[in-house]
Amino acid sequence: MITFKSSREIDQMREAGQLVAEAHQIVSGMISPGVTTSEIDVAVERFFEEQGATPLFKGVPGVVPFPAVTCISIDDEVVHGIPGDRELKEGEIVSVDTGCRLNGWCGDGAWTYAVGQVDELRSEILAVGALTLEIAIREMGRRERWSQVAQAMEEYVKSAGFRVVEELVGHGIGREMHEDPQVPNYVSRDLRKHDFALEPGLVIAVEPMVNAGTRSVRLLDDHWTVVTRDGRPSVHFEHTIAMTDDGPELLTKGIGAGRNS
Ligand code: MG
């Protein structure tokens, strides 16, 4: 069941979303060759602690509980990469996803960053992934139902020669990080059955994952990291978005160094 939020609740969610955006500004400033993914994770953890916010990812149940406050996924890693000793290298693309709860309300956002100069394929998939999220936001302002937005996202990604990941989807968000509805980035029979209206008070995390090659993914032995089956790169972009009387509002506005702002 979808829980709709009042404008006062959306005001509170904006505060959580803004902390996520600020965390990303810290991350964005750290992305460079030689930095380890755990250094980035520690910086975000400290920031949330200073702000009195609770990280949402640490301890998420699984075969092993998720051990960090960020998911950091490099190149062929799609999502849910575990921070550790791995150093970022020039030419890689690195997606960082994080979320927090502040005063009982959640925010969630991800962005894929270039480490120094990247090749043509990586530069193109970065642009396509970011634009897929921009298209979703634009379409949310002029469509009635989510399936119409998902269709626009999927068609754009295909036209660019890439593929949308189907195993993982976005989600409603509020007092909990994962609420109804599920928010797929593609159209299926299942979505037609569980389609939902884009009404004021709806708050969703929209998070397209775009693969350069096959859309198919697999899980690594660490029980968390999702990688592309063909080893080609993948990107992930996510905003927490509220539908208001004036259209979609990015509660995590500011992620991605000024993009979508
Ligand atoms: Mg999410």
Side-chain angles (χ1 to χ4, degrees):
M1 201 187 70
I2 298 175
T3 312
F4 291 90
K5 281 77 183 175
S6 68
S7 62
R8 191 173 307 158
E9 290 170 334
I10 290 173
D11 288 344
Q12 291 186 274
M13 289 193 72
R14 188 182 302 109
E15 291 181 22
Q18 282 309 295
L19 286 191
V20 171
E22 283 180 50
H24 269 276
Q25 279 146 19
I26 293 168
V27 168
S28 171
M30 289 181 77
I31 300 287
S32 61
V35 172
T36 68
T37 53
S38 71
E39 286 170 334
I40 294 169
D41 187 68
V42 165
V44 173
E45 184 163 30
R46 278 207 195 114
F47 173 71
F48 285 151
E49 201 178 301
E50 283 164 13
Q51 301 295 322
T54 310
L56 290 174
F57 293 8
K58 202 169 203 169
V60 166
V63 176
V64 290
F66 194 77
V69 306
T70 58
C71 295
I72 305 188
S73 312
I74 299 170
D75 273 344
D76 65 317
E77 297 173 349
V78 180
V79 286
H80 303 167
I82 300 174
D85 295 336
R86 183 167 173 183
E87 290 182 6
L88 301 184
K89 291 197 199 73
E90 175 89 17
E92 288 177 333
I93 52 176
V94 54
S95 99
V96 179
D97 189 356
T98 195
C100 73
R101 183 183 276 115
L102 182 71
N103 301 320
W105 294 95
C106 298
D108 186 9
W111 203 260
T112 306
Y113 301 91
V115 185
Q117 290 292 316
V118 299
D119 64 14
E120 202 176 323
L121 172 66
R122 283 172 179 74
S123 146
E124 197 185 337
I125 197 171
L126 281 171
V128 168
L131 188 51
T132 305
L133 182 53
E134 279 180 37
I135 286 169
I137 296 158
R138 183 192 72 200
E139 295 297 312
M140 283 174 76
R142 60 189 201 199
R143 302 289 185 180
E144 299 290 315
R145 305 189 70 76
W146 176 257
S147 59
Q148 297 170 302
V149 177
Q151 185 178 340
M153 295 165 86
E154 186 178 21
E155 279 173 4
Y156 166 64
V157 171
K158 276 190 182 159
S159 75
F162 297 135
R163 297 301 299 275
V164 166
V165 174
E166 297 187 1
E167 280 90 339
L168 298 136
V169 300
H171 48 93
I173 179 168
R175 289 201 175 273
E176 299 301 325
M177 173 168 59
H178 293 131
E179 297 185 355
D180 284 340
Q182 292 209 16
V183 184
N185 306 298
Y186 63 100
V187 178
S188 65
R189 194 182 301 166
D190 197 54
L191 174 58
R192 290 185 210 287
K193 206 163 77 190
H194 297 108
D195 203 3
F196 55 90
L198 299 166
E199 296 168 332
L202 178 78
V203 185
I204 53 179
V206 178
E207 48 180 318
M209 286 147 262
V210 176
N211 287 358
T214 177
R215 67 171 176 78
S216 181
V217 298
R218 68 187 176 88
L219 187 63
L220 295 188
D221 291 342
D222 65 14
H223 304 294
W224 281 105
T225 312
V226 175
V227 299
T228 60
R229 276 200 187 270
D230 59 5
R232 300 189 77 202
S234 180
V235 296
H236 180 211
F237 293 86
E238 176 182 28
H239 271 302
T240 296
I241 305 172
M243 289 302 299
T244 72
D245 292 330
D246 303 321
E249 183 195 338
L250 303 185
L251 301 183
T252 44
K253 182 174 165 176
I255 297 179
R259 291 200 70 117
N260 292 323
S261 54

